[in-house]
């Protein structure tokens, strides 16, 4: 019997990481990464050394010290929302990390969501972005059925901004609603109170399944001063809401512990007792995962080659083959490309990452020859600009996304998109109809979606590639990402002309120098707002990641997604045809 032919689905890289351009890009990107790492270290220090000393004086650990004890030694912590509130709340002295640490870490081998107040930042008080960061972490835990551990040490709502923290569906009160919903879905939640837990925040631990509390901590709806002001009753904090009172009298606390170390050891012991629920990848009718060997199944090419692909300077037009990125993040560099010769500025295909089956939708950044199949110029070719979505690419992506939903294949979107094609030819080809089809397929998709912004993510292209408004389970960005309605150069060109005409209507004549200065001012502002740090500060991005860690980040994210075995029925609704 003849042998079956070997499938040729390994991407053959043609990228030369030692070329002058690649070396120049690598040097520039590494410099940006160094800057980002310095800024991240500053954020991780929270309120700084003086505030950390004050925490130690209370015989309490800082939030990072607590997490070092809680998490498995040597395991990786995927921090989410680190940049939250970056360069915000300056009038109040800032709020590094929004005063809370969130992310995915392992406790006795179990992947858990950690939500931990940083008491060195305004006593762990909730700013508007603090509430949003906690809610984002809870929503990730909800959608993926991830056990959640809360380390509480918070003074409650930051009162000067209470109107922006208190009332809405993405504000403080939603945290407690999520506690109840998570519990109803069988998602384990444990809270350790290791400091203050007051006012509305006192509901958080009691809304979870299990409550631990250290001696010297306080849990009360109103502190001693407020109690005296409200009802004239004088009482000390320990008698009002200390650990002993709640353990012995109110019965609110399940475990009273002498200090942080014992409390965290208890939490680890409790997590160790969790039973194992079915996961999506362990169920025969859910997502596919094959046995995975980190060495044998690694990509054929070094992941840090990607440093040489993109120039990180704002406004730089990067032209590169997206296959080179895919070849460095998927198992064995194997990629089954879908409709390879059609709609070439959008790449679609199947692969595995860490053994998990995935569908990839990515923007191709090289210019492509595309056959024009219809009309008077049938059979002719046109040059399509890389990073632009044309009618054929949108149609291909929509169909591929539907296929992935039909076959229960999670989706990974790799963004470097300028937007949809414009102009008479594009309109005649039905670009709006095709774009609506792609957006509709993304919107109604029921399989897990993960987005990585590699380069630009502009305008409606951002939406079609599963932007934040389209419910990706996770959204990551490289330092080279640019995230806005349009590029800084395009926006500045348009806005500068509008402003110039406004000024000239007032009777003033602008010189070429004045026009150039106006353009540069607008472009500078726009470029700053398109920087991934700006988006991450507002939680539009879950994490800015080192490009060389893209594969390991995706493996962790896919593991988290696989923890939820429930996939709703796919019902794409009415599609424009």
């Amino acid at each position: 019997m003849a042998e079956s032919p070997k499938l040729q689905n390994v991407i053959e890289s043609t990228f030369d990481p030692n070329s002058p351009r690649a070396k120049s890009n690598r040097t520039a990107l590494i410099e940006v990464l160094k800057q980002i790492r310095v800024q991240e270290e500053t954020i991780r220090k929270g309120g700084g050394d003086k505030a950390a000393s004050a925490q130690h004086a209370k015989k309490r650990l800082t939030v990072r010290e607590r997490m070092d004890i809680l998490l498995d030694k040597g395991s990786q912590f995927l921090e989410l929302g680190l940049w939250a509130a970056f360069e915000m709340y300056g009038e109040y002295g800032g709020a590094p990390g929004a005063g809370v640490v969130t992310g995915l870490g392992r406790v006795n081998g179990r992947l858990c969501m950690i939500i931990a107040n940083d008491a060195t930042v305004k006593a762990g008080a909730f700013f508007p972005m603090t509430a949003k960061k906690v809610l984002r972490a809870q929503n990730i835990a909800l959608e993926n059925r991830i056990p959640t551990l809360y380390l509480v040490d918070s003074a409650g709502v930051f009162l000067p901004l209470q109107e922006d923290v208190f009332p809405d569906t993405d504000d403080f009160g939603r945290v407690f609603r999520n506690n109840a919903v998570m519990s109803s879905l069988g998602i384990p939640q444990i809270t350790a109170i290791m400091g203050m837990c007051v006012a509305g925040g006192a509901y958080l631990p009691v809304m979870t399944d299990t409550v631990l509390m250290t001696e010297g901590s306080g849990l009360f709806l109103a502190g001693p001063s407020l109690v005296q002001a409200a009802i004239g009753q004088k009482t000390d904090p320990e008698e009002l809401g200390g650990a002993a009172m709640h353990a012995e009298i109110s019965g609110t606390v399940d475990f009273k512990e002498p200090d942080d170390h014992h409390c965290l050891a208890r939490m680890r012991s409790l997590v160790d007792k969790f039973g194992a629920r079915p996961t999506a990848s362990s169920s025969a009718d859910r997502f596919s995962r094959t046995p995975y060997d980190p060495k044998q199944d690694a990509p054929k090419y070094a992941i840090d080659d990607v440093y040489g692909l993109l120039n990180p300077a704002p406004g730089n037009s990067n032209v590169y083959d997206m296959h080179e990125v895919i070849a460095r993040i998927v198992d064995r560099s194997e990629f089954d490309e879908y409709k390879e010769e059609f709609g070439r500025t959008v790449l679609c295909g199947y692969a595995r990452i860490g053994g998990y089956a995935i569908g990839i939708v990515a923007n191709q950044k090289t210019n492509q020859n595309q056959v024009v199949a219809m009309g008077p110029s049938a059979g002719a070719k046109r040059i399509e600009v890389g990073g632009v979505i044309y009618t054929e690419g949108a149609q291909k992506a929509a169909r591929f996304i539907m296929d992935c939903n039909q076959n229960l294949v999670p989706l990974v979107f790799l963004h470097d998109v300028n937007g949809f094609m414009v102009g008479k030819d594009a309109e005649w080809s039905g670009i709006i109809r095709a774009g609506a089809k792609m957006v509709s397929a993304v919107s109604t998709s029921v399989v897990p979606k993960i987005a990585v912004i590699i380069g630009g993510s502009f305008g409606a292209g951002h939406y079609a590639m599963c932007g934040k408004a389209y419910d990706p389970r996770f959204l990551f960005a490289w330092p080279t990402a640019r995230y806005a309605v349009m590029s800084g150069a395009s926006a500045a060109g348009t806005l500068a002309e509008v402003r110039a005409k406004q000024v000239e209507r007032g009777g003033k004549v602008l010189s070429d120098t004045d026009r150039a200065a106006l353009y540069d001012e607008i472009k500078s502002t726009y470029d700053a707002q398109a920087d991934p740090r700006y988006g991450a500060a507002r939680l539009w991005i879950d994490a800015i990641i080192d490009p060389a860690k893209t594969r390991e980040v995706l493996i962790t994210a896919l593991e988290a997604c696989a923890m939820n075995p429930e996939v709703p029925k796919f019902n794409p609704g009415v599609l424009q045809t």
Side-chain angles (χ1 to χ4, degrees):
M1 191 175 194
E3 283 189 20
S4 298
K6 184 175 174 60
L7 181 64
Q8 300 298 316
N9 63 348
V10 176
I11 297 174
E12 294 298 331
S13 174
T14 59
F15 176 66
D16 180 7
N18 294 313
S19 69
R21 175 173 167 269
K23 286 182 176 179
S24 175
N25 288 349
R26 184 185 188 93
T27 299
L29 181 51
I30 287 175
E31 193 57 40
V32 171
L33 276 170
K34 285 180 181 176
Q35 182 189 59
I36 284 176
R37 285 167 183 154
V38 168
Q39 290 173 317
E40 287 180 340
E41 283 307 304
T42 300
I43 294 170
R44 288 189 178 101
K45 290 180 180 177
D49 294 339
K50 186 176 179 181
S53 297
Q55 183 78 346
H56 291 153
K58 298 173 186 173
K59 297 183 179 179
R60 296 174 189 160
L61 300 174
T62 64
V63 65
R64 302 281 173 179
E65 291 167 341
R66 287 168 175 167
M67 292 178 63
D68 283 344
I69 295 170
L70 177 64
L71 299 175
D72 294 350
K73 299 301 179 189
S75 66
Q76 296 295 316
F77 177 62
L78 177 54
E79 185 158 359
L80 305 171
L82 173 64
W83 292 84
F86 178 65
E87 295 186 340
M88 297 172 68
Y89 309 124
E91 66 273 34
Y92 301 107
V100 64
V101 178
T102 62
L104 295 173
R106 296 191 185 278
V107 179
N108 281 322
R110 188 72 173 260
L111 191 66
C112 296
M113 175 64 74
I114 314 297
I115 300 176
N117 299 119
D118 185 350
T120 69
V121 179
K122 300 293 188 296
F126 272 65
F127 285 76
M129 290 308 301
T130 314
K132 288 174 174 56
K133 182 171 174 177
V134 171
L135 289 171
R136 175 58 181 158
Q138 285 186 320
N139 286 336
I140 290 172
L142 261 168
E143 199 163 21
N144 299 293
R145 305 296 191 264
I146 306 171
T148 303
L149 310 178
Y150 303 87
L151 309 184
V152 174
D153 192 350
S154 171
V157 168
F158 186 67
L159 291 177
L161 295 174
Q162 65 85 25
E163 76 276 15
D164 296 320
V165 181
F166 170 66
D168 214 338
T169 54
D170 61 348
D171 288 336
F172 191 49
R174 186 78 170 188
V175 173
F176 318 135
R177 175 265 184 194
N178 285 351
N179 289 142
V181 172
M182 290 167 72
S183 186
S184 74
L185 292 172
I187 302 170
Q189 297 176 89
I190 302 177
T191 300
I193 303 168
M194 295 184 286
M196 290 298 103
C197 185
V198 299
Y203 284 109
L204 186 153
V206 188
M207 297 289 289
T208 63
D209 307 331
T210 307
V211 184
L212 294 72
M213 187 172 181
T214 59
E215 295 176 7
S217 295
L219 171 65
F220 25 67
L221 289 180
S225 298
L226 185 55
V227 167
Q228 184 173 358
I231 63 173
Q233 186 182 72
K234 291 185 178 181
T235 181
D236 65 65
E238 190 63 32
E239 183 183 18
L240 180 64
M245 190 283 290
H246 281 302
E248 300 170 19
I249 299 174
S250 77
T252 302
V253 170
D254 302 311
F255 296 90
K256 183 186 75 170
E257 304 296 341
D259 53 36
D260 287 5
H261 287 85
H262 286 85
C263 188
L264 294 165
R266 179 79 69 183
M267 179 176 271
R268 283 183 56 82
S269 180
L270 293 172
V271 172
D272 187 49
K273 311 301 188 298
F274 286 168
R277 294 182 180 275
T279 64
S281 58
S282 67
S283 178
D285 60 349
R286 291 297 183 260
F287 315 133
S288 168
R289 190 186 190 193
T290 57
Y292 167 68
D293 184 309
K295 291 185 179 179
Q296 291 186 2
D297 296 324
K300 286 179 59 179
Y301 313 102
I303 183 64
D304 62 3
D305 286 350
V306 297
Y307 289 154
L309 282 174
L310 282 77
N311 185 328
N316 190 73
S317 180
N318 285 298
V319 178
Y320 62 95
D321 187 347
M322 185 62 83
H323 289 98
E324 301 290 355
V325 176
I326 296 170
R328 287 160 176 81
I329 62 174
V330 302
D331 295 355
R332 300 173 298 279
S333 301
E334 293 176 356
F335 182 56
D336 296 306
E337 188 162 352
Y338 175 84
K339 294 185 185 290
E340 180 179 357
E341 297 174 354
F342 181 73
R344 296 187 183 197
T345 61
V346 179
L347 301 181
C348 299
Y350 300 97
R352 289 187 184 273
I353 295 181
Y356 292 100
I358 59 163
I360 293 175
V361 180
N363 305 111
Q364 175 59 289
K365 286 296 291 182
T366 58
N367 297 335
Q368 298 288 313
N369 280 319
Q370 177 67 53
V371 173
V372 180
M374 299 172 64
S377 57
K381 291 186 177 181
R382 66 171 180 234
I383 300 295
E384 294 186 341
V385 179
V388 175
I389 302 175
Y390 292 77
T391 298
E392 295 84 358
Q395 291 172 338
K396 175 171 80 171
R399 169 63 186 276
F400 178 74
I401 291 165
M402 293 170 70
D403 282 358
C404 287
N405 277 272
Q406 179 78 359
N407 298 315
L408 292 174
V409 180
L411 285 156
V412 174
F413 294 81
L414 303 178
H415 294 221
D416 197 344
V417 58
N418 299 330
F420 286 92
M421 189 57 188
V422 297
K424 185 173 75 173
D425 289 346
E427 298 294 355
W428 283 24
S429 74
I431 186 66
I432 297 175
R433 187 175 71 248
K437 190 184 298 183
M438 183 176 176
V439 170
S440 180
V442 171
S443 302
T444 58
S445 176
V446 294
V447 296
K449 298 171 292 192
I450 301 170
V452 183
I453 303 177
I454 288 173
S457 191
F458 298 119
H462 172 75
Y463 303 153
M465 290 296 293
C466 194
K468 185 64 185 292
Y470 292 80
D471 298 325
R473 299 278 183 100
F474 298 92
L475 195 155
F476 304 111
W478 286 11
T480 48
R482 292 292 176 267
Y483 188 175
V485 172
M486 63 180 73
S487 69
S490 299
T494 302
L495 294 175
E497 186 62 28
V498 170
R499 288 195 195 173
K501 287 181 179 178
Q502 289 174 338
V503 170
E504 289 172 348
R505 279 198 295 269
K508 183 179 178 181
V509 178
L510 290 179
S511 66
D512 290 344
T513 302
D514 292 335
R515 284 176 175 270
L518 185 59
Y519 173 90
D520 289 342
E521 177 189 350
I522 295 171
K523 183 176 182 299
S524 176
T525 300
Y526 217 86
D527 283 341
Q529 292 178 353
D531 188 286
R533 286 165 283 199
Y534 187 91
R538 288 150 184 80
L539 295 175
W540 304 337
I541 293 166
D542 290 316
I544 300 172
I545 61 174
D546 182 337
K549 294 185 177 179
T550 304
R551 177 174 164 83
E552 66 180 72
V553 167
L554 286 174
I555 290 173
T556 300
L558 287 164
E559 180 185 351
C561 292
M563 295 176 75
N564 182 1
E566 297 179 14
V567 183
K569 180 183 176 183
F570 178 51
N571 184 12
V574 176
L575 290 176
Q576 292 285 344
T577 58

